[in-house]
Amino acid sequence: MLELHDVVKKYAIGTFRQTALDGVSVNFRRHEFVAILGPSGSGKTTLLNMIGGLDRYDSGDLRIDGKSTRDFKDKDWDSYRNHAIGFVFQNYNLISHVSVLANVEIGLTLSGMSLSERRERALRLLERVGLSDHIHKKPNQLSGGQMQRVAIARALANDPDIILADEPTGAIDSETSHQILKLIQEIAEDKLVIMVTHDATMAKKYASRVIGLQDGKITSDTDPYETNNGNQGRLSFKGTAMAFAQALKLSFSNLRTKKFRTAITAFAGSIGIIGVALVLSLSNGLNREIDRLEQSTLAAFPLQVDRVAFNVDIIRQQGGGPPRRVAGEVFERFPDVDEIYPYELPPFEAEHINDLSPEFLTYLEGLDPETYHEMTMRYSVDKHVYHTLPSGLAARLNTGRVNFGPTLMDDAFFGDNYDILSGRQPENVNELILIIDEYNRLEASIVQAFGLSAEIEAYGFDAFLGKTFQLITLDDRFTYNETTGLFTPITDADVLMNQPDNIPLTIVGIARVSESAISDFLTTGLKFHPDLTPLLLDDAQNSQIGQAQKASSSDVISGTAMDESLRRIQLQRWGVDPTPRQILIYPADYAAKQAITDYLDAFNEGKDDEDRILYTDLAAIVTELTSDIITGVAYVLIAFSSISLVVSSVMIGIITYVSVLERTKEIGVLRSLGARKRDISRVFNAETAIIGFFAGVSGVGVAYLLTFPINAIIANLVDDLNRLAVIPLAAVFGLVAISVMLTTIAGLIPSRIAARKDPVVALRVD
Ligand code: ADP
Ligand code: MG
């Protein structure tokens, strides 16, 4: 069944070549117990490794069932070892960190047997070698003889045709040796057993054939076997492969024996993960907080469309750069000359004139009323309001001091921002409401504008409530002179107070800015009914003086020539020109704001730059800027914590390499059992993956626990910031994956070193 033809094996030691096998030719029968006898260094182990496919011959041939092995590839040898060969070593070579049972099972897992089959078979074999009571012990809990029995059971596991035993009793006392040899003798009844020994009496007592070996040459053979190569074999072995699950299991049990080291390694690996997780949790929390702020508070800020707008893009384009003497010419910095250059500042292009044309205003009317609380048009129309002072004299209310704020008629919005202290909201054009601040204060200048003394400490509500003013329409403020065709302003307050077209305005309520109000932009003063402004605009456009000024390029009051821009301002202040100065749209909520900006953007679609309507979303500018800063800072911090990820990865690589060194013998054993190189690297990759997984999980876990004290500290420092740091779920999975990935990469080189180890050299290591 096995034939060796002139096998030569030489080892190179430097330039010297040591001949270990020097032309060995020998044949073996299918069933026999062969003892190879020879002094130390005669080449016995080399011969056995050669037969077992662990080592390669330099020349000659090894024929298995008549088939030459000269063209055998690595995988053929792996499969041959796994299926046809069982090794028994002098020093047992058991894997110390797994149980007796697992040791026997390992060879079976390589041949892809099911778990229950494996278990059953291993138990049967352990029973056969008399170790049924010790299956859960670790190898180092057994005596030498017991360990060799485990090794024999393992060698028999795959039911190989050939058992190769290298001085199996070399480290066992003679009493036990006899028992072991009897066991091997039994096995040899239906197998080929080749046993190496230097004990001649033992060899002669138990073996059926004794071959003498000296200096790599066969010197004697008690029962030579001649064959004529007639027996052409049907040699076919299944491929061997270790399931990844098995590799994981093996790595797991190895790591379990080194709990402390594994824990330290995983901890080191987790530091970077903790850092990244915390940074992510904080930036996540801050961005969430900003979003919430924008949605709740800042959303109430109006979208603003101003006649004179600032184009942020233009400002950015213009930003910085050296000043130009004229367009295009650039100055040199710190020139070494005795010259002075006059230069012109570039024109201020940042302004954009929004044409708030009737077309745009009509377009705005198409905006879904559900999306906003209030749309306020602000005009530069002067309000001429007169009232009777407590002294009985008529006087103009100083409207420059009294803020006629925008009307806020949306009930919900009004309710959110104001509390009515007395009276009610204006219900028609004739009604006003007075707004005071959160301390019930009213600015002295406003008090004085009412003709009241600011020296008095407190006024009752009735000092303001029910007060009536006269709003004088445009034409009523002038008398027309038919002869000159000019208009003269009326200055007598009593006359103005009693003009027929006056609009009486009565304060019907007093409201205070509420606690939940965005007090920054809600100013105190008088708020009027929204229908008042259209009424004034309408009146102004139909007024005599308005028509006259519109038609004339000179001043209709003085009769002198008028600058065009002054004329425009005049028309706006009178309300003859109905173009608003500013439009404020108070969005209903955050989503509605999106809808509004989309609607405004749609207006600009396909328009030239100068025809576009630019709006200001102050809240968005603030939040964008803030979250940009947070993201930037987060990147820097993540970069820093990534350094510790790299450091820990390198460390894990080194530790894996140490593990490779420690487990060299195990690598040899696995190879002798038929494990492929890939299986070996798998074992180590599985190990680093496990460490990486633990590092990732514990890193995220520790980071999660740390968010509690961090959040407590933040909540202590900043009101309303509860549970700020929250690790995003995606980061949890992402970081564990990154950790597994990094440590696996770190372990690739050591695992490759492990896979490349020569099994023969590996087995010789003690
Ligand atoms: P035995 O098992 O009979 O004691 P070996 O087969 O181990 O002998 O060794 C045979 C000869 O080959 C010895 O001289 C030994 O020094 C040499 N040898 C074995 N393995 C190696 C090796 N890996 N490198 C160099 N020399 C070796
Ligand atoms: Mg030897």
Side-chain angles (χ1 to χ4, degrees):
M1 108 159 282
L2 269 186
E3 302 159 39
L4 276 76
H5 292 280
D6 205 18
V7 168
V8 175
K9 174 72 185 178
K10 290 188 172 112
Y11 289 109
I13 306 155
T15 52
F16 173 71
R17 289 180 73 77
Q18 167 79 44
T19 305
L21 293 178
D22 191 8
V24 173
S25 294
V26 63
N27 300 330
F28 298 100
R29 296 179 181 84
R30 195 163 285 275
H31 305 151
E32 63 176 336
F33 187 176
V34 184
I36 295 178
L37 194 61
S40 184
S42 58
K44 305 183 295 294
T45 300
T46 307
L47 179 62
L48 216 55
N49 287 341
M50 203 70 57
I51 293 170
L54 273 181
D55 214 346
R56 305 279 178 275
Y57 46 83
D58 295 335
S59 67
D61 193 8
L62 165 68
R63 289 169 160 269
I64 306 161
D65 277 344
K67 192 176 186 229
S68 169
T69 58
R70 264 186 239 189
D71 305 325
F72 261 35
K73 305 251 166 27
D74 271 358
K75 75 174 201 318
D76 299 316
W77 285 117
D78 293 339
S79 173
Y80 166 67
R81 280 199 307 277
N82 189 248
H83 295 276
I85 303 287
F87 273 102
V88 177
F89 304 95
Q90 176 180 355
N91 49 5
Y92 330 120
N93 281 344
L94 298 175
I95 297 172
S96 58
H97 58 80
V98 298
S99 72
V100 165
L101 186 63
N103 262 288
V104 179
E105 281 180 354
I106 279 176
L108 295 170
T109 61
L110 292 173
S111 55
M113 204 176 269
S114 80
L115 180 78
S116 54
E117 249 181 300
R118 257 180 335 200
R119 182 64 33 102
E120 195 194 323
R121 185 144 186 185
L123 287 172
R124 215 169 346 109
L125 287 166
L126 284 166
E127 194 186 329
R128 180 168 175 195
V129 298
L131 285 176
S132 292
D133 299 339
H134 306 279
I135 55 168
H136 294 303
K137 283 188 180 168
K138 291 279 166 64
N140 60 9
Q141 295 166 313
L142 300 177
S143 71
Q146 285 171 326
M147 282 196 268
Q148 198 57 290
R149 284 165 191 272
V150 176
I152 290 168
R154 181 179 65 188
L156 291 172
N158 274 321
D159 195 19
D161 294 326
I162 304 160
I163 298 287
L164 303 174
D166 193 351
E167 306 200 33
T169 59
I172 298 168
D173 62 276
S174 66
E175 174 87 8
T176 319
S177 292
H178 284 289
Q179 291 170 11
I180 296 286
L181 283 168
K182 270 189 200 132
L183 183 63
I184 293 174
Q185 198 177 36
E186 255 175 66
I187 290 162
E189 277 168 23
D190 58 351
K191 289 192 192 307
L192 167 61
V193 174
I194 304 173
M195 179 182 79
V196 159
T197 181
H198 53 249
D199 187 333
T201 37
M202 286 287 197
K204 276 169 192 135
K205 185 164 179 205
Y206 292 98
S208 60
R209 176 181 174 190
V210 179
I211 295 173
L213 198 66
Q214 192 102 42
D215 296 331
K217 283 195 178 76
I218 291 180
T219 50
S220 65
D221 189 343
T222 59
D223 189 8
Y225 174 50
E226 300 304 332
T227 167
N228 51 5
N229 291 347
N231 172 354
Q232 282 296 327
R234 346 105 271 169
L235 191 68
S236 96
F237 304 119
K238 277 195 294 172
T240 59
M242 186 188 279
F244 191 69
Q246 177 64 20
L248 267 180
K249 202 170 145 192
L250 212 58
S251 312
F252 235 117
S253 62
N254 173 53
L255 289 175
R256 271 223 310 261
T257 61
K258 294 178 291 193
K259 286 194 191 85
F260 185 68
R261 185 203 286 178
T262 307
I264 294 277
T265 315
F267 173 70
S270 72
I271 289 173
I273 298 288
I274 294 172
V276 176
L278 283 181
V279 173
L280 285 177
S281 73
L282 276 173
S283 69
N284 169 48
L286 284 173
N287 276 322
R288 201 168 24 104
E289 195 55 33
I290 287 168
D291 278 354
R292 194 185 64 79
L293 204 70
E294 181 174 6
Q295 288 187 26
S296 61
T297 319
L298 296 178
F301 271 77
L303 285 167
Q304 200 170 316
V305 184
D306 293 283
R307 185 153 42 199
V308 181
F310 287 95
N311 184 340
V312 177
D313 288 338
I314 295 173
I315 293 172
R316 279 198 194 129
Q317 284 166 22
Q318 273 199 328
R324 270 148 290 194
R325 193 193 304 212
V326 285
E329 200 176 326
V330 176
F331 286 99
E332 186 196 345
R333 295 189 75 203
F334 308 114
D336 190 17
V337 292
D338 304 326
E339 288 173 325
I340 295 172
Y341 309 113
Y343 83 103
E344 281 169 28
L345 277 171
F348 188 58
E349 293 162 3
E351 269 182 16
H352 174 87
I353 303 298
N354 276 327
D355 183 10
L356 304 180
S357 60
E359 180 207 352
F360 177 66
L361 298 180
T362 314
Y363 179 78
L364 271 188
E365 278 167 26
L367 181 59
D368 180 4
E370 294 290 305
T371 57
Y372 57 92
H373 288 302
E374 176 64 32
M375 191 191 299
T376 304
M377 305 273 172
R378 282 187 164 166
Y379 300 88
S380 314
V381 182
D382 284 349
K383 290 180 187 68
H384 286 252
V385 180
Y386 284 77
H387 61 143
T388 312
L389 296 171
S391 61
L393 294 168
R396 184 172 173 199
L397 182 73
N398 195 340
T399 51
R401 291 178 178 181
V402 180
N403 169 45
F404 276 86
T407 47
L408 301 162
M409 294 303 287
D410 181 295
D411 283 345
F413 192 71
F414 188 92
D416 276 351
N417 291 288
Y418 302 99
D419 297 322
I420 294 181
L421 302 181
S422 182
R424 56 176 172 82
Q425 273 203 64
E427 279 161 12
N428 64 57
V429 177
N430 290 330
E431 294 175 344
L432 294 169
I433 188 163
L434 179 70
I435 309 287
I436 56 178
D437 77 1
E438 67 260 48
Y439 305 104
N440 277 27
R441 293 183 308 186
L442 192 60
E443 215 191 305
S445 66
I446 301 177
V447 176
Q448 284 161 350
F450 279 91
L452 300 172
S453 164
E455 301 297 312
I456 292 170
E457 220 168 87
Y459 284 100
F461 284 170
D462 52 2
F464 299 93
L465 202 61
K467 245 188 178 302
T468 299
F469 310 96
Q470 299 295 325
L471 181 66
I472 325 293
T473 60
L474 185 56
D475 270 341
D476 283 353
R477 306 208 297 263
F478 301 91
T479 47
Y480 180 57
N481 187 327
E482 300 267 357
T483 36
T484 58
L486 294 175
F487 294 83
T488 311
I490 302 170
T491 48
D492 189 332
D494 283 317
V495 175
L496 288 167
M497 272 293 277
N498 296 300
Q499 293 286 52
D501 291 336
N502 283 357
I503 303 164
L505 299 173
T506 309
I507 298 180
V508 296
I510 294 175
R512 183 169 58 198
V513 176
S514 75
E515 254 182 89
S516 57
I518 309 111
S519 48
D520 276 0
F521 76 94
L522 293 174
T523 46
T524 53
L526 284 170
K527 303 212 182 290
F528 51 82
H529 193 276
D531 291 347
L532 185 64
T533 308
L535 195 109
L536 285 178
L537 293 175
D538 199 46
D539 173 79
Q541 275 162 84
N542 294 321
S543 67
Q544 197 189 354
I545 186 171
Q547 305 275 10
Q549 184 64 82
K550 235 158 97 175
S552 164
S553 60
S554 60
D555 190 347
V556 294
I557 296 172
S558 65
T560 54
M562 200 177 199
D563 184 74
E564 177 53 27
S565 65
L566 280 175
R567 188 175 154 269
R568 275 196 62 171
I569 291 169
Q570 177 83 292
L571 289 172
Q572 280 164 16
R573 290 181 60 185
W574 284 350
V576 181
D577 173 0
T579 310
R581 171 171 56 89
Q582 185 182 54
I583 302 167
L584 297 173
I585 306 169
Y586 295 84
D589 55 42
Y590 186 68
K593 183 171 176 172
Q594 286 299 319
I596 297 169
T597 54
D598 287 350
Y599 187 77
L600 292 176
D601 290 340
F603 181 81
N604 291 333
E605 199 82 22
K607 286 204 166 61
D608 286 343
D609 270 353
E610 68 241 40
D611 294 335
R612 284 168 190 256
I613 298 291
L614 301 184
Y615 56 89
T616 313
D617 182 357
L618 207 67
I621 291 173
V622 170
T623 49
E624 259 169 43
L625 202 72
T626 323
S627 68
D628 277 359
I629 291 168
I630 289 172
T631 310
V633 171
Y635 276 133
V636 172
L637 292 178
I638 286 174
F640 276 119
S641 16
S642 299
I643 293 173
S644 63
L645 274 181
V646 172
V647 171
S648 57
S649 299
V650 170
M651 203 192 70
I652 285 166
I654 293 167
I655 289 176
T656 309
Y657 180 63
V658 171
S659 178
V660 168
L661 293 182
E662 278 178 355
R663 295 169 74 187
T664 300
K665 179 155 268 172
E666 183 181 334
I667 293 167
V669 174
L670 285 169
R671 294 299 305 275
S672 79
L673 290 171
R676 299 166 303 168
K677 287 179 178 169
R678 274 168 61 187
D679 298 326
I680 302 299
S681 54
R682 251 184 199 185
V683 170
F684 288 93
N685 286 340
E687 185 170 315
T688 47
I690 291 168
I691 292 177
F693 179 77
F694 279 118
V697 169
S698 62
V700 172
V702 170
Y704 174 72
L705 292 178
L706 283 177
T707 59
F708 288 97
I710 287 173
N711 284 336
I713 291 167
I714 292 172
N716 215 353
L717 293 175
V718 189
D719 287 345
D720 294 339
L721 270 190
N722 297 314
R723 270 178 53 74
L724 177 75
V726 174
I727 303 173
L729 197 64
V732 171
F733 293 108
L735 286 174
V736 173
I738 285 173
S739 176
V740 171
M741 210 177 69
L742 281 181
T743 50
T744 308
I745 290 172
L748 279 182
I749 294 171
S751 83
R752 201 168 257 216
I753 292 172
R756 290 237 182 102
K757 273 193 190 299
D758 181 346
V760 177
V761 176
L763 283 168
R764 279 183 199 260
V765 169
D766 273 313

